[in-house]
Amino acid sequence: MKPPQWANFLGLATRARKIISGEELTVKEIQKGRARLVLLSEDASSNTMKKIHDKASFYKVPVKMVEDRYVLGQAIGKEARVVVAILDEGFANKLSALLDETKRG
């Protein structure tokens, strides 16, 4: 199965070193004001979801949901990842558009 277009683009952002993954690192980047977009897997624990959504809404960082932790992890070349923060405005805008497109299509 071919990976979704957003996953390929996330891989590009990873190679450009414009992402950070993991719950604690993502929260730190949100607090520092460097996170531009947060990708959260739909199979994350309820505690993780609440923590990320609360921090992101307080600091006004958009959060987009993705299918599952394995798709997210594979997109960045790791095993499984529940949360990823995009640190670049350009990558964040394009990823957001691609994810919206995927949800519609």
Side-chain angles (χ1 to χ4, degrees):
M1 190 173 91
K2 196 175 130 198
Q5 193 173 4
W6 68 263
N8 290 333
F9 194 74
L10 182 57
L12 186 64
T14 304
R15 289 188 293 283
R17 298 188 172 193
K18 299 295 182 185
I19 69 138
I20 199 87
S21 70
E23 183 182 342
E24 292 305 316
L25 292 172
T26 297
V27 168
K28 283 182 185 168
E29 292 302 318
I30 290 170
Q31 290 172 326
K32 290 177 183 173
R34 290 198 291 239
R36 300 289 174 241
L37 174 68
V38 174
L39 303 180
L40 184 61
S41 79
E42 290 174 355
D43 62 349
S45 72
S46 56
N47 285 345
T48 300
M49 281 195 181
K50 180 178 176 1
K51 186 178 193 178
I52 296 297
H53 277 293
D54 289 351
K55 284 289 181 204
S57 66
F58 182 81
Y59 288 94
K60 294 178 176 42
V61 177
V63 176
K64 295 282 183 182
M65 303 302 285
V66 297
E67 296 90 63
D68 62 49
R69 64 184 70 202
Y70 302 104
V71 173
L72 193 54
Q74 187 178 16
I76 63 170
K78 307 266 189 212
E79 268 301 297
R81 283 294 184 268
V82 174
V83 62
V84 170
I86 288 72
L87 308 176
D88 180 82
E89 192 73 40
F91 280 115
N93 292 340
K94 180 66 175 171
L95 263 169
S96 187
L98 288 171
L99 283 161
D100 289 344
E101 209 172 273
T102 303
K103 297 283 187 224
R104 274 189 248 119

